[in-house]
Amino acid sequence: MSGRGLLMWDEAVTAYDFGDSHPMDPVRLALTMGLVRAYGLDGAMDVVAAKPAGDSTLRLVHREDYIAAVRAASRDPRAADQKYGLGTVDDPAFAGMHEASALIAGQSVGAAEALWRGQTEHAVNFAGGLHHAMPGCASGFCVYNDASLAIARLLELGAERVAYVDVDVHHGDGVQAAFWDDPRVLTISLHEHPSTLFPQTGWPEETGGDGAAEGSAVNVALPAGTGDEGWLRAFDAVVPELLAAFRPQVLVTQHGADTHFEDPLAHLAVSLDAQRAVQETCHELAHTTAGGRWLALGGGGYEVVDVVPRSWTHLVGIAAHRPVEPESVIPSAWRDEVYARTRQLGPGRMTDGRWPVRRRAWEDGYDPADRLDQAILATRRAAFPLRGLLP
């Protein structure tokens, strides 16, 4: 197995572009790769451009009629069929939509194949993590569900246990739906409470299909306003114990940066430093529970200058075993690039000034009157006994 990780990157992924007024601005991808290069992290990993996912791969998750609808809208955006979620406010059709979406999916699938074949231990596709796309429709800025496709490809190659951990502010509903009835896949999502945020799913009681799949979905619904300490506490109280019991052969993680307190579309109050802490913990969990096999994906994140590039550059550094120090001063050349592209001033350091972040262990006791602890308890009571664990 190669000691170098894979960084999946093709400049053409920036063609995944819903238009100037849409919050998912592809400049976030270009700026992230620029910051990765500014820190020399592209030299610490093998940068790979995988081929786009073909129809046979897309059909591992998506319906044939939906793929055809995406192709049709891609050729003529005016022909977008809204019954497939295309041509909507969230998912406007654009020329080349199929090609850009299939390319992002292909990067995640290619990374999964390399991991399974022992060509690398860690792989990152920060353009991926499009976790809302359903088998038969686009949803929530997501056309093809690259995370689900990567997992489905692992299963096709012979994997018997794959774990998916999603820390985007929105529920990982598309991945949960894809594997709802499959006990080989454990999906864990930590997200803002569905009563206050799209897609209004991800309640603790959503625990997977009947029979053997019962307990294969785990959801932590966090109160709006949850900050660093509560977010880390919830992660630590749920994820490590489940992964240790499940023993995945591959760990797939989704690192949407929209939990950040500056993100305009949601209501959590998490810092860049806490995001980095969870990335580090996911890396450790890959080694302690999954034999080191780790596929890390991007996801949401709509503060496209100040937050997303820093968060995902930290992710790349951790996967490359070249972590970027939080107090590091960001290279001025990248800040010049930010200004040239956006006419905004870029951030000066790789921290929000909260490093090291404080962690409060669940094992030290909980407060049944605390809303955050109530959320954790609801998840543990709903899901843990189904996996043979004490709530």
Side-chain angles (χ1 to χ4, degrees), residues 10-271:
D10 184 323
E11 205 78 39
V13 297
T14 59
Y16 191 83
D17 186 354
F18 291 114
D20 291 345
S21 61
H22 197 280
M24 199 173 208
D25 188 338
V27 76
R28 68 197 196 124
L29 303 179
L31 291 178
T32 299
M33 193 61 193
L35 191 54
V36 164
R37 289 179 175 132
Y39 276 104
L41 297 174
D42 55 326
M45 301 184 88
D46 292 330
V47 181
V48 174
K51 63 184 181 182
D55 280 13
S56 63
T57 297
L58 294 173
R59 286 197 300 267
L60 292 173
V61 168
H62 293 291
R63 294 200 322 245
E64 198 158 355
D65 59 320
Y66 172 59
I67 299 167
V70 175
R71 283 186 179 278
S74 187
R75 288 191 297 270
D76 180 4
R78 296 168 299 178
D81 190 339
Q82 291 201 4
K83 80 177 182 189
Y84 292 106
L86 302 168
T88 62
V89 172
D90 275 4
D91 298 279
F94 60 91
M97 180 170 63
H98 167 78
E99 289 75 15
S101 303
L103 180 61
I104 291 172
Q107 307 307 305
S108 292
V109 171
E113 291 171 343
L115 285 164
W116 188 252
R117 291 169 178 157
Q119 295 164 346
T120 190
E121 265 197 329
H122 306 335
V124 179
N125 177 23
F126 58 74
L130 304 179
H131 60 167
H132 294 307
M134 293 291 177
C137 69
S139 177
F141 314 163
C142 305
V143 178
Y144 293 139
N145 196 317
D146 65 286
S148 294
L149 288 163
I151 294 167
R153 180 65 176 134
L154 288 167
L155 299 176
E156 188 179 49
L157 290 170
E160 297 172 349
R161 295 180 310 282
V162 180
Y164 172 76
V165 177
D166 188 319
V167 297
D168 192 288
V169 79
H170 302 91
H171 176 225
D173 58 338
V175 185
Q176 175 178 287
F179 303 105
W180 183 255
D181 294 310
D182 195 331
R184 296 173 296 174
V185 182
L186 172 64
T187 64
I188 308 171
S189 178
L190 288 83
H191 46 266
E192 184 180 327
H193 199 282
S195 65
T196 55
L197 194 66
F198 174 90
Q200 284 82 49
T201 57
W203 300 81
E205 297 76 20
E206 296 171 33
T207 55
D210 295 333
E214 202 174 24
S216 63
V218 180
N219 288 289
V220 188
L222 300 166
T226 297
D228 288 1
E229 188 175 298
W231 192 64
L232 293 169
R233 178 169 171 79
F235 185 97
D236 293 343
V238 172
V239 177
E241 194 172 347
L242 287 167
L243 293 185
F246 186 63
R247 295 180 300 107
Q249 292 161 296
V250 183
L251 176 62
V252 181
T253 58
Q254 195 268 21
H255 297 270
D258 44 8
T259 51
H260 196 274
F261 56 77
E262 287 185 14
D263 197 90
L265 298 190
H267 319 98
L268 295 191
V270 174
S271 73

Side-chain angles (χ1 to χ4, degrees), residues 308-391:
V308 172
R310 292 191 298 160
S311 186
W312 293 347
T313 297
H314 275 306
L315 180 65
V316 171
I318 289 162
H321 297 134
R322 281 259 307 272
V324 177
E325 288 300 318
E327 290 295 339
S328 165
V329 175
I330 291 174
S332 59
W334 181 78
R335 300 184 75 222
D336 293 343
E337 180 189 352
V338 167
Y339 190 76
R341 284 180 178 268
T342 69
R343 288 298 182 262
Q344 295 183 48
L345 297 175
R349 291 183 183 269
M350 291 293 284
T351 178
D352 285 334
R354 299 185 184 179
W355 189 266
V357 289
R358 182 169 178 260
R359 296 176 97 134
R360 191 161 52 93
W362 182 253
E363 293 75 18
D364 293 343
Y366 58 86
D367 178 359
D370 180 81
R371 289 175 65 221
L372 186 278
D373 283 1
Q374 288 171 1
I376 295 170
L377 269 174
T379 298
R380 291 180 63 100
R381 285 171 175 162
F384 275 45
L386 299 173
R387 303 219 61 89
L389 300 171
L390 293 173

